[in-house]
């Protein structure tokens, strides 16, 4: 009986092997390597030495890590939590009240930015925020002098670009959630004389609360990992002004060849991902009937 | 009416960054300015339609994405079967661990993965890159596949088991044909993700001959000094068309929610 049970689980083995080799092992190796002086070239590449918590100590004394952690927080809060989440909800709400043609055309436009390959979206955003780009041309039409966005306000540009790129996900989540809100509840509230804002804050939002939290969790994780968009638009510059943690980990490991320090930064990022991942799993478990 | 106008304004803002791409592609004198070309032509398209510039990178993309989707689907179907069909006290913890795995930021593990690939002498190997890319989307794929498989009634297989068919035979002849649309969704979902993936092949594949379009597109982007704006735009469009079509195919059938069915159903 027990042997049969074990045999039944056999088909899961390939997946487990893949996950162990390509996800669990790199994570474990990351934590290990972050305590060594491993590097891409030179003596430390052949024979990395254990350096204890040196990399982590350096991380907090160095200027680049605290700056980069702060930039990551601002980037995630502004482009995911505020930008994608609020805009996605707003679009979904507007869609319930607008004509079908308008909502499907706009829906397609929003989704297009999301479905495009990341590198293409990044090029489009680069061109858009360029000194000679569309945004400044539009500003010129209304008589405002353009600025060099990518140079003067790199973080603002990548926050807007990431909002543009990622809002579709929140929009789809909220459209599905709003479609599940029973019509008679909001109609009853309307009869009781509730105004638009009141219905939104006291009825609709509480009803889709679990979608909101799940969505926030997922977009936070996705935004935490954004690399290509930033790398194409500003490459983390100028002078680290848009170096979020993934960009910092990449630069330290591959540009400066310092694998030990790069993995230390990556390990912090993995830990952050784990915290949010654990919260996400908890949320879904509680939602289960 | 107010909602229509507000929505239209938002829509215009979302389209604006794409205008440059569309206009520059048909403008042989394109720069970063968005302007209607004075002499529109397909010159940019014909310039990139060469074996080295377009076909080889696209073939590499196809090979990487299809390989990733096949490996992924095979592993996911096998894993989903016992999880969906047999009660076991391992099921729940396993599924939650898998779900947890979906939230690992892939950019964060690229440094360690590079280290692992160096140790195992796997750098610049298409096959290893395929297996790695398949693994990063595997948690999501297992989760989605199991959900689709759960909706195939168990009674159908029980009849086959009575007739002496093995579990794997029942899976192949009864369950899989019935969940073909679901499998298609998972396949396309993984394919689209792999097709658009820039960072992973950028780190793991070194020879230019193996690089997919996501990476080779970089040669238009100032690597040799001047940026070939028009060609960059034309190439971007040709490279994006397959995923746009695939997405349209899936979203039409699944009411736009396909990408979420894996993540949002507990």
């Amino acid at each position: 009986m027990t042997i049969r049970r074990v045999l039944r689980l056999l088909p899961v083995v390939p997946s487990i092997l893949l996950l162990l080799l390509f996800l669990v092992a790199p994570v474990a190796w990351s934590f290990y390597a972050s305590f060594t002086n491993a590097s891409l070239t030179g003596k430390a590449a052949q024979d990395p030495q254990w350096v204890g918590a040196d990399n982590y100590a350096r991380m907090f004394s160095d200027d680049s890590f605290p700056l980069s952690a702060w930039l990551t927080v601002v980037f995630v809060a502004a482009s995911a939590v505020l930008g994608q989440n609020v805009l996605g909800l707003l679009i979904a709400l507007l869609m319930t009240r607008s004509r079908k043609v308008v909502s499907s055309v706009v829906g397609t436009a929003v989704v297009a930015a999301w479905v495009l390959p990341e590198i293409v979206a990044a090029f489009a955003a680069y061109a858009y925020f360029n000194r000679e780009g569309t945004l400044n041309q539009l500003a010129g039409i209304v008589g405002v002098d353009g600025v060099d966005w990518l140079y003067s306000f790199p973080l603002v540009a990548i926050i807007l670009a990431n909002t543009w790129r990622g809002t579709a996900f929140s929009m789809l989540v909220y459209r599905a959630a709003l479609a599940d809100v029973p019509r008679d509840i909001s109609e009853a509230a309307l009869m009781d004389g509730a105004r638009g804002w009141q219905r939104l804050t006291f009825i609709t939002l509480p009803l889709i609360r679990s979608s909101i939290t799940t969505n926030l969790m997922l977009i936070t994780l996705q935004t935490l990992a954004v690399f290509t968009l930033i790398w194409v638009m500003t490459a983390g510059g100028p002078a680290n002004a848009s170096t979020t943690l993934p960009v910092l980990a990449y630069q330290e490991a591959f540009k400066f060849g310092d694998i030990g320090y790069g993995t230390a930064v990556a390990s912090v990022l993995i830990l952050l991902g784990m915290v949010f991942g654990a919260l996400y799993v908890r949320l879904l478990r509680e939602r289960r009937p | 009416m107010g909602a229509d106008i507000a929505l239209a304004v938002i829509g215009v803002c979302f389209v604006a960054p794409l205008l440059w791409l569309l206009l520059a592609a048909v403008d042989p004198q394109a720069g970063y300015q968005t302007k209607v070309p004075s002499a529109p032509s397909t010159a940019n398209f014909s310039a990139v339609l060469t074996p080295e510039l377009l076909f080889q990178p696209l073939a590499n993309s196809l090979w990487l994405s299809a390989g990733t989707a096949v490996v992924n689907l095979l592993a996911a179907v096998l894993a989903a079967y016992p999880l969906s069909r047999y009660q076991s006290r391992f099921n729940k913890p396993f599924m939650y661990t898998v779900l947890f795995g979906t939230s690992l930021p892939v950019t964060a593990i690229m440094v360690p993965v590079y280290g692992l690939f160096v140790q195992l002498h796997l750098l610049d190997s298409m096959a290893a890159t395929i297996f790695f890319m398949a693994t990063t989307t595997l948690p999501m794929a297992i989760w989605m596949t199991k959900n689709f498989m759960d909706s195939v009634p168990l009674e159908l297989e029980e009849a086959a088991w009575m007739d002496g068919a093995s579990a794997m035979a029942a899976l192949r002849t009864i369950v899989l044909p019935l969940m073909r649309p679901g499998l298609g969704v998972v396949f396309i979902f993984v394919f689209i993700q792999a097709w658009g993936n820039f960072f992973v092949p950028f780190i793991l594949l070194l020879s230019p001959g193996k690089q997919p379009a996501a990476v080779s597109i970089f040669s238009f982007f100032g690597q040799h000094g001047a940026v070939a704006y028009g060609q960059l735009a034309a190439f971007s469009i040709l490279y994006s068309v397959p995923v746009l079509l695939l997405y349209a195919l899936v979203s039409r059938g699944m009411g736009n929610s396909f990408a979420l069915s894996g993540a949002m159903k507990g």
Side-chain angles (χ1 to χ4, degrees):
Chain A
M1 190 60 199
T2 29
I3 291 177
R4 250 186 81 190
R5 280 206 172 154
V6 172
L7 281 179
R8 279 174 169 183
L9 288 174
L10 217 54
V12 186
V13 171
S15 289
I16 292 182
L17 287 180
L18 280 176
L19 293 169
L20 283 179
L21 179 61
F22 287 122
L23 279 184
V24 178
V27 169
W29 192 82
S30 181
F31 288 125
Y32 166 77
S34 68
F35 291 99
T36 71
N37 64 356
S39 70
L40 269 185
T41 51
K43 203 166 135 259
Q46 302 301 319
D47 181 28
Q49 298 295 312
W50 184 263
V51 295
D54 278 10
N55 287 319
Y56 291 95
R58 185 184 141 195
M59 221 150 90
F60 289 100
S61 56
D62 213 352
D63 282 344
S64 58
F65 178 79
L67 172 67
S68 172
W70 170 244
L71 290 173
T72 310
V73 170
V74 174
F75 174 60
V76 172
S79 75
V81 178
L82 270 179
Q84 296 180 8
N85 182 51
V86 174
L87 189 57
L89 179 61
L90 178 70
I91 296 174
L93 283 168
L94 286 172
M95 279 177 159
T96 59
R97 296 149 145 259
S98 65
R99 259 169 266 189
K100 210 164 170 230
V101 197
V102 181
S103 92
S104 73
V105 170
V106 174
T108 309
V110 175
V111 165
W114 180 59
V115 183
L116 277 182
E118 197 180 3
I119 191 102
V120 173
F123 285 138
Y126 180 86
Y128 184 76
F129 286 104
N130 198 279
R131 199 176 171 81
E132 298 166 7
T134 317
L135 184 58
N136 282 345
Q137 288 181 273
L138 290 173
I141 293 174
V142 293
V144 178
D145 267 347
V147 291
D148 196 341
W149 292 93
L150 297 170
Y151 190 79
S152 307
F153 303 100
L155 195 63
V156 174
I158 61 169
I159 285 169
L160 291 174
N162 190 53
T163 305
W164 167 68
R165 167 138 176 94
T167 296
F169 184 82
S170 302
M171 178 191 82
L172 293 173
V173 169
Y174 289 133
R175 261 175 81 183
L178 290 176
D180 285 344
V181 172
R183 199 160 260 239
D184 44 339
I185 296 186
S186 50
E187 268 165 16
L190 194 60
M191 299 294 252
D192 291 342
R195 286 159 190 276
W197 274 113
Q198 290 173 323
R199 264 182 298 150
L200 181 67
T201 44
F202 295 115
I203 299 179
T204 314
L205 291 184
L207 280 173
I208 61 167
R209 201 183 56 216
S210 67
S211 295
I212 296 176
T213 43
T214 316
N215 181 52
L216 279 175
M217 206 66 68
L218 288 172
I219 59 177
T220 300
L221 282 162
Q222 286 161 7
T223 305
L224 208 53
V226 169
F227 173 86
T228 309
L229 193 69
I230 301 174
W231 201 68
V232 168
M233 287 178 71
T234 67
N240 287 348
S242 59
T243 304
T244 58
L245 289 174
V247 180
L248 182 69
Y250 172 82
Q251 282 179 341
E252 293 295 344
F254 295 112
K255 234 167 119 186
F256 306 130
D258 195 341
I259 300 274
Y261 190 58
T263 47
V265 175
S267 299
V268 172
L269 206 53
I270 293 171
L271 276 176
L272 272 175
M274 284 177 160
V275 170
F276 280 103
L279 285 171
Y280 170 50
V281 172
R282 262 197 85 131
L283 271 172
L284 280 191
R285 274 176 106 145
E286 280 165 10
R287 255 172 79 183
R288 264 213 129 122
Chain B
M1 195 61 200
D4 286 336
I5 293 169
L7 210 50
V9 170
I10 293 173
V12 168
C13 294
F14 272 83
V15 172
L18 295 175
L19 285 180
W20 173 80
L21 212 56
L22 297 173
L23 292 173
V26 292
D27 188 352
Q29 272 116 41
Y32 277 126
Q33 297 228 336
T34 300
K35 59 176 177 9
V36 179
S38 46
S41 80
T42 53
N44 292 323
F45 287 96
S46 21
V48 297
L49 282 171
T50 68
E52 315 87 73
L53 283 179
L54 189 78
F55 302 127
Q56 184 61 41
L58 281 190
N60 290 341
S61 291
L62 182 67
W63 168 221
L64 269 183
S65 312
T68 300
V70 167
V71 170
N72 195 312
L73 202 59
L74 274 176
V77 162
L78 286 174
Y81 188 70
L83 293 167
S84 170
R85 270 25 198 172
Y86 307 122
Q87 296 300 319
S88 155
R89 65 199 153 92
F90 300 114
N91 284 6
K92 265 197 171 174
F94 184 78
M95 286 308 283
Y96 283 119
T97 312
V98 162
L99 187 67
F100 178 67
T102 60
S103 35
L104 267 185
V106 176
T107 44
I109 63 169
M110 281 323 290
V111 184
V113 165
Y114 178 84
L116 184 81
F117 271 53
V118 170
Q119 296 287 317
L120 300 177
H121 302 285
L122 292 174
L123 266 192
D124 208 26
S125 149
M126 283 287 249
T129 307
I130 286 173
F131 277 100
F132 173 68
M133 295 209 323
T135 309
T136 58
T137 36
L138 189 57
M140 185 63 86
I142 293 178
W143 198 262
M144 285 169 82
T145 311
K146 181 188 173 284
N147 277 337
F148 284 124
M149 208 178 270
D150 283 349
S151 58
V152 177
L154 190 60
E155 291 79 35
L156 295 171
E157 282 151 274
E158 279 167 349
W161 290 339
M162 292 300 219
D163 294 338
S166 70
M168 285 298 117
L171 171 67
R172 206 178 58 239
T173 56
I174 296 167
V175 183
L176 292 186
L178 282 171
M179 55 182 293
R180 219 181 287 142
L183 294 177
V185 169
V186 179
F187 186 92
I188 292 176
F189 179 74
V190 174
F191 188 97
I192 289 179
Q193 292 220 326
W195 186 269
N197 201 325
F198 162 77
F199 198 35
V200 172
F202 177 64
I203 301 280
L204 298 181
L205 294 175
L206 309 173
S207 16
K210 289 180 184 169
Q211 279 162 357
V215 179
S216 78
I217 204 171
F218 246 66
S219 54
F220 296 105
F221 193 60
Q223 210 176 345
H224 313 297
V227 182
Y229 307 99
Q231 294 181 19
L232 174 73
F235 188 99
S236 296
I237 289 174
L238 292 172
Y239 160 58
S240 305
V241 165
V243 289
L244 294 177
L245 290 179
L246 283 177
Y247 180 82
L249 186 78
V250 174
S251 66
R252 262 179 71 183
M254 306 302 289
N256 253 341
S257 57
F258 82 96
L260 312 172
S261 59
M264 306 297 284
K265 256 192 236 159

